[in-house]
Amino acid sequence: MKLKTYILVVTCIMIYASCQQSGVQLSNDTDMLKYGQSLYGRHCISCHGDSGDAMLNNATNLTTIKKDVNDIGDVIFHGKNSMPPYKELLGEPEIRAVSLYCKSLQK
């Protein structure tokens, strides 16, 4: 009986930890954009530049693309051309935040 209780407790802790993995509480669009900008600065700026139009290493000009947030997220998740996939590095909330930030760069 004790082993079953132990396994149940450990399983609950693991589920809780996986749900809290990002550790970010995003309560509104402003928070999402700020968080997306922060992630963009860590993962995207080296090729796309500060304003999204640097096009280094064959990167897409983010100011002129006409994709919606879901399509942008799909490219971030799977990668495209010379851009690597970020599915192993970023979770769903992080990809959503970066996608929203990238969408905000469109003119």
Side-chain angles (χ1 to χ4, degrees), residues 5 10 17 19-20 23 27 30 34 39 53 62 68 70 74-76 92 96 101 104 106:
T5 304
V10 169
C19 292
Q20 300 297 318
S27 59
T30 302
K34 285 180 183 178
L39 292 166
D53 60 1
L62 299 177
D68 66 22
N70 293 327
D74 190 54
V75 171
I76 294 168
E92 185 180 331
R96 181 76 177 168
Y101 181 72
S104 76
Q106 294 177 3

Coordinates of all heavy atoms in Angstrom, one line a residue, residues 5 10 17 19-20 23 27 30 34 39 53 62 68 70 74-76 92 96 101 104 106:
T5 N 0.9 4.5 -2.8 CA 0.8 5.9 -2.4 C 2.0 6.7 -2.8 O 1.8 7.8 -3.4 CB 0.7 6.0 -0.8 OG1 -0.4 5.2 -0.4 CG2 0.5 7.4 -0.4
V10 N 4.3 10.8 -6.4 CA 5.3 11.2 -7.4 C 4.7 11.5 -8.8 O 5.1 12.5 -9.4 CB 6.4 10.0 -7.5 CG1 7.3 10.3 -8.7 CG2 7.2 9.9 -6.3
A17 N 4.4 19.6 -12.1 CA 5.7 20.2 -12.6 C 5.6 20.5 -14.1 O 6.0 21.5 -14.6 CB 6.9 19.4 -12.2
C19 N 3.0 21.0 -15.9 CA 2.0 22.0 -16.1 C 2.6 23.4 -15.8 O 2.2 24.4 -16.4 CB 0.8 21.8 -15.3 SG -0.2 20.4 -15.9
Q20 N 3.6 23.4 -14.9 CA 4.2 24.7 -14.4 C 5.5 24.9 -15.0 O 6.3 25.8 -14.6 CB 4.3 24.7 -12.9 CG 3.0 24.5 -12.1 CD 2.1 25.7 -12.4 OE1 2.5 26.8 -12.4 NE2 0.8 25.4 -12.6
G23 N 6.7 28.4 -15.9 CA 6.8 29.3 -14.8 C 6.3 30.7 -15.0 O 6.6 31.6 -14.3
S27 N -1.1 37.1 -18.0 CA -2.5 37.4 -17.7 C -3.2 38.3 -18.8 O -4.4 38.4 -18.9 CB -2.6 38.2 -16.4 OG -1.8 39.4 -16.5
T30 N -0.5 42.3 -23.2 CA 0.7 43.1 -23.0 C 1.8 42.2 -22.4 O 2.9 42.2 -22.8 CB 0.5 44.3 -22.0 OG1 -0.5 45.1 -22.6 CG2 1.7 45.1 -21.8
K34 N 5.4 41.2 -24.1 CA 6.7 41.4 -23.4 C 7.4 40.1 -23.3 O 8.6 40.1 -23.5 CB 6.4 42.0 -22.0 CG 6.0 43.4 -22.1 CD 5.8 44.0 -20.6 CE 5.4 45.4 -20.7 NZ 5.1 45.9 -19.3
L39 N 11.8 36.4 -25.4 CA 12.2 35.2 -26.0 C 12.8 35.4 -27.4 O 13.7 34.8 -27.8 CB 11.0 34.2 -26.1 CG 10.5 33.6 -24.8 CD1 9.1 33.0 -25.0 CD2 11.5 32.6 -24.3
D53 N 13.7 42.7 -39.6 CA 14.0 42.9 -41.1 C 15.5 42.7 -41.4 O 15.9 43.1 -42.5 CB 13.5 44.2 -41.6 CG 14.1 45.4 -40.9 OD1 15.0 45.2 -40.0 OD2 13.8 46.6 -41.2
L62 N 10.4 39.6 -41.2 CA 9.2 39.5 -40.4 C 8.3 40.7 -40.6 O 7.1 40.6 -40.2 CB 9.5 39.2 -39.0 CG 10.3 37.9 -38.7 CD1 10.6 37.9 -37.2 CD2 9.6 36.7 -39.2
D68 N -0.7 34.6 -40.3 CA -1.3 34.8 -39.0 C -0.5 34.2 -37.9 O 0.5 33.5 -38.1 CB -2.8 34.3 -39.0 CG -2.9 32.7 -39.1 OD1 -1.9 32.0 -38.8 OD2 -4.0 32.3 -39.6
N70 N -1.0 31.7 -35.9 CA -0.9 30.2 -35.9 C 0.1 29.7 -36.9 O 0.9 28.8 -36.7 CB -2.3 29.6 -36.2 CG -3.2 29.8 -35.0 OD1 -2.8 29.9 -33.9 ND2 -4.5 29.9 -35.4
D74 N 3.6 27.7 -36.2 CA 3.9 26.5 -36.9 C 5.3 26.5 -37.5 O 6.0 25.5 -37.3 CB 2.9 26.2 -38.1 CG 3.0 24.9 -38.7 OD1 2.9 23.9 -37.9 OD2 3.2 24.7 -39.9
V75 N 5.7 27.6 -38.0 CA 7.1 27.7 -38.5 C 8.1 27.7 -37.4 O 9.1 27.0 -37.4 CB 7.3 29.0 -39.3 CG1 8.8 29.3 -39.7 CG2 6.5 29.0 -40.6
I76 N 7.8 28.3 -36.3 CA 8.7 28.3 -35.1 C 8.8 26.8 -34.6 O 9.9 26.4 -34.3 CB 8.2 29.2 -34.0 CG1 8.3 30.7 -34.4 CG2 9.0 29.0 -32.7 CD1 7.6 31.7 -33.6
E92 N 4.5 25.3 -25.7 CA 3.4 25.9 -26.4 C 3.2 27.4 -26.0 O 3.0 28.2 -26.8 CB 2.1 25.1 -26.2 CG 0.9 25.7 -26.9 CD -0.3 24.9 -26.7 OE1 -0.2 23.7 -26.4 OE2 -1.4 25.5 -26.8
R96 N 3.7 30.5 -28.6 CA 2.6 31.4 -28.8 C 3.0 32.9 -28.5 O 2.7 33.8 -29.3 CB 1.4 31.1 -27.8 CG 0.2 31.9 -28.0 CD -0.6 31.6 -29.2 NE -1.8 32.4 -29.2 CZ -2.5 32.5 -30.3 NH1 -2.3 31.8 -31.4 NH2 -3.6 33.3 -30.3
Y101 N 4.5 38.2 -30.8 CA 5.5 39.3 -30.9 C 5.9 39.4 -32.4 O 6.0 40.5 -32.9 CB 6.8 39.0 -30.0 CG 7.7 40.2 -30.2 CD1 7.4 41.4 -29.7 CD2 8.9 40.0 -30.9 CE1 8.3 42.5 -29.8 CE2 9.8 41.1 -31.1 CZ 9.5 42.3 -30.6 OH 10.3 43.4 -30.8
S104 N 3.4 41.2 -34.3 CA 3.4 42.7 -34.0 C 4.5 43.4 -34.8 O 4.4 44.7 -34.9 CB 3.6 42.9 -32.5 OG 5.0 42.7 -32.1
Q106 N 4.9 43.0 -38.0 CA 4.4 43.2 -39.4 C 4.0 44.6 -39.5 O 3.3 45.2 -38.7 CB 3.3 42.2 -39.7 CG 3.8 40.8 -39.7 CD 2.6 39.8 -39.9 OE1 1.5 40.2 -40.1 NE2 2.9 38.5 -39.9

